[in-house]
Amino acid sequence: LLELIGVSMKGPTASKATGKLTLPVTYADISSEGIIITENNRRIQIVNQRSGTPLTYTIMRQQPDGTLNVFNKDITIPQTEFIGDTESMAYTPNLMLLEGVTQSQTGVFGQEANRQTIRITNGPVIEGSIGVSSTESAGTYYNEISNLYVASGGNTPVFEKKYNQDMTATLFFGDGVRGRMPSPGANYTVTYRTGGGVNGDIARGSLKSPVTVLNGVNNITAEIENTTKGSGGTAAESVAHAKRYAPYFFRTQYRAVTGEDYNALANSFVGVAGKT
């Protein structure tokens, strides 16, 4: 009923911690192209010490502009991001550990004339974790926005996400007027994470695990640990919260003028790294 009047329910957010990756080699021994961590090796499985339930954290690399690359299954860490000398092990402190399991889904855009949609079949899908890449124009990357009606033109590759009852999600793409319309027949890959919630909150140092990385042509065993606590995980938005803030959000009309506007926008904001 809330969706019928334009209220988009927020999904779960994931806990976030700062990660430190240590390699058993010196800085000089790291490949000039850097190291690669494949999709499966990015997943670190631990047990929450408080609840005793299993958890999965995913290794992420923060971009220089502060954003996360949500499109690639594997991540590359440049040699320049490592610290060390000729006598000690090399390490990088610039990684992010986000709770949730990285998954991917492939397909082909259909022949729809007006609007393309993609249904993500696994859930619960974590907020801010979805990226869609396609084979159009030698590679096109679609980013999520809150509403297609605020898309800046008909060539912007964006999509809007709506949650289903089971916390899977359906992605809606532009029609060529509001957002780019995907080319029929183009292949696409959706990358996303599933999980979220307060169970991902962990103490500092509770994640300390071996991880296999590719250094040039050789596999070596490194170590990943969380140097800060994992925090910020929240469950999906409740109906009570949506009912409370929806009237304020409608009143703002995507602008912030009064203090009430700022309060409404802050309570509707969803980041990529836990609760804000």
Side-chain angles (χ1 to χ4, degrees):
L1 290 175
L2 286 167
E3 288 184 354
L4 288 176
I5 59 172
V7 178
S8 296
M9 301 289 287
K10 291 188 290 186
T13 60
S15 300
K16 171 232 175 186
T18 300
K20 177 182 177 181
L21 182 73
T22 304
L23 272 64
V25 296
T26 65
Y27 176 82
D29 292 327
I30 298 176
S31 170
S32 58
E33 291 80 21
I35 66 164
I36 297 174
I37 309 178
T38 61
E39 179 182 13
N40 289 335
N41 288 321
R42 290 172 60 190
R43 303 174 183 174
I44 309 299
Q45 295 181 324
I46 61 172
V47 174
N48 187 307
Q49 296 175 342
R50 298 188 188 93
S51 64
T53 55
L55 278 176
T56 299
Y57 264 78
T58 296
I59 302 172
M60 306 288 290
R61 175 176 170 261
Q62 198 166 18
Q63 306 297 308
D65 62 357
T67 61
L68 298 179
N69 187 333
V70 295
F71 301 101
N72 296 340
K73 300 178 183 179
D74 306 334
I75 60 172
T76 300
I77 305 174
Q79 183 192 52
T80 55
E81 291 191 7
F82 282 89
I83 301 172
D85 51 40
T86 57
E87 298 179 356
S88 61
M89 294 184 291
Y91 68 92
T92 175
N94 300 321
L95 294 178
M96 187 180 290
L97 293 165
L98 293 180
E99 186 269 327
V101 181
T102 300
Q103 305 198 48
S104 60
Q105 178 177 317
T106 59
V108 179
F109 284 115
Q111 301 297 321
E112 290 83 352
N114 296 320
R115 179 149 293 170
Q116 300 275 359
T117 61
I118 296 175
R119 170 74 182 263
I120 296 178
T121 54
N122 294 322
V125 177
I126 293 174
E127 286 281 9
S129 69
I130 307 173
V132 180
S133 58
S134 79
T135 56
E136 306 166 74
S137 305
T140 301
Y141 298 92
Y142 290 85
N143 290 285
E144 180 182 348
I145 59 175
S146 59
N147 194 310
L148 285 173
Y149 284 97
V150 298
S152 55
N155 293 319
T156 308
V158 291
F159 64 87
E160 178 184 347
K161 171 193 84 261
K162 289 189 177 181
Y163 280 101
N164 305 309
Q165 286 291 108
D166 57 358
M167 299 313 295
T168 59
T170 301
L171 313 183
F172 297 86
F173 293 81
D175 57 4
V177 177
R178 296 181 178 90
R180 177 189 176 101
M181 183 169 65
S183 302
N187 296 313
Y188 65 77
T189 300
V190 182
T191 55
Y192 61 99
R193 296 195 335 277
T194 56
V198 296
N199 191 50
D201 292 356
I202 57 175
R204 175 183 176 182
S206 57
L207 189 157
K208 196 169 185 178
S209 304
V211 57
T212 301
V213 304
L214 179 63
N215 181 25
V217 296
N218 300 314
N219 283 329
I220 62 175
T221 300
E223 184 180 74
I224 186 77
E225 62 178 316
N226 64 309
T227 56
T228 63
K229 68 178 182 179
S231 60
T234 60
E237 183 179 24
S238 67
V239 172
H241 185 277
K243 288 171 65 177
R244 178 181 177 185
Y245 286 101
Y248 297 104
F249 186 69
F250 287 138
R251 200 174 302 155
T252 66
Q253 295 294 305
Y254 293 97
R255 63 186 176 223
V257 179
T258 68
E260 198 174 65
D261 293 340
Y262 281 95
N263 186 31
L265 290 172
N267 278 281
S268 64
F269 175 77
V270 177
V272 297
K275 182 179 180 181
T276 302

